[in-house]
């Protein structure tokens, strides 16, 4: 899970992340790391032969889609979740949500895809567009975690819970998420080049 902190004793929030590149690049929700000074990453106990606790730095973010890329501060090689296209998803397809629900590590819930291309209002000024809706339980702390298919491939990034609703959760489709990641990484590389020049 990914937990932002301002110092060692104060935890400001918590969420989940997906390692998508073996050098330690992690995809999570922007709201998980927004406005924080230090990012603390705790790896799953299933990640053997790796330290459990690490720090990370922010690489970039896309506030409009609520995604951020962070980089674990380490030279080690990390296990990577397999990614799959979200272009061929079907209503009724079985899915699994994994995350740090309410601080309970590696919480796994299952359900089906209930709807595609949902538009969800967060507040008066903000909407999420084109989301996957599922009845797999997505709770606070699941933000940034993977929504996976029965093959164990990530097809979405868990993003939203409808407060007061039951069996309604939402995820950003993986194709849309990776388009955002590509933009974030390109802009970061361009910024480094400009600073170097």
């Amino acid at each position: 899970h990914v937990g932002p902190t301002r110092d060692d004793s104060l935890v400001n929030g918590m969420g989940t992340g997906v390692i998508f590149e073996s050098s330690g690049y992690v995809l999570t929700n922007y709201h998980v790391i927004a406005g924080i000074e230090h990012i603390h990453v705790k790896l799953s106990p299933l990640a053997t032969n790796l330290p459990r606790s690490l720090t990370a730095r922010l690489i970039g973010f896309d506030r409009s889609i609520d995604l951020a890329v962070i980089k674990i501060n380490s030279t080690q090689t990390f296990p990577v979740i397999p990614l799959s296209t979200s272009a061929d998803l079907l209503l009724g397809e079985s899915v699994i949500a994994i995350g740090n629900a309410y601080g309970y590590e590696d919480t796994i819930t299952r359900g089906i895809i209930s709807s595609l291309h949902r538009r969800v209002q967060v507040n008066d000024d903000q909407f999420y567009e084109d989301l996957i809706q599922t009845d797999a339980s997505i709770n606070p702390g699941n933000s940034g975690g993977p929504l996976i298919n029965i093959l164990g491939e990530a097809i979405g990034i868990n993003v939203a819970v409808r407060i007061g609703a039951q069996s309604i959760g939402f995820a950003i489709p993986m194709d849309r998420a990776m388009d955002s990641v590509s933009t974030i990484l390109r802009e970061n590389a361009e910024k480094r080049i400009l600073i170097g020049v």
Side-chain angles (χ1 to χ4, degrees), residues 24-164:
Y25 283 88
V26 178
L27 178 60
T28 189
N29 287 142
Y30 171 70
H31 74 258
V32 170
I33 54 84
I36 56 96
E37 295 174 10
H38 304 287
I39 302 172
H40 173 80
V41 175
K42 191 173 181 183
L43 298 180
S44 167
L46 301 176
T48 56
N49 302 318
L50 289 168
R52 286 289 318 276
S53 295
L54 297 154
T55 60
R57 67 186 186 277
L58 178 64
I59 298 298
F61 59 87
D62 182 346
R63 186 180 287 123
S64 68
I65 192 174
D66 195 12
L67 288 175
V69 174
I70 62 175
K71 169 71 171 68
I72 297 172
N73 296 321
S74 174
T75 57
Q76 293 183 272
T77 300
F78 296 90
V80 175
I81 191 167
L83 307 179
S84 182
T85 182
S86 53
D88 58 359
L89 300 179
L90 300 172
L91 295 181
E93 181 176 343
S94 295
V95 291
I96 297 166
I98 302 176
N100 186 34
Y102 290 107
Y104 294 105
E105 296 177 31
D106 296 321
T107 296
I108 298 173
T109 60
R110 67 181 175 86
I112 61 168
I113 294 176
S114 308
S115 184
L116 298 168
H117 311 295
R118 280 287 193 220
R119 185 173 195 254
V120 179
Q121 185 170 359
V122 180
N123 55 46
D124 291 341
D125 302 316
Q126 185 180 3
F127 292 85
Y128 288 113
E129 302 282 355
D130 193 29
L131 296 183
I132 301 166
Q133 180 181 326
T134 178
D135 66 347
S137 294
I138 296 175
N139 298 293
N142 277 102
S143 294
L147 184 70
I148 65 174
N149 62 20
I150 59 172
L151 301 176
E153 302 163 332
I155 57 168
I157 299 296
N158 302 328
V159 69
V161 180
R162 187 71 186 216
I163 302 301

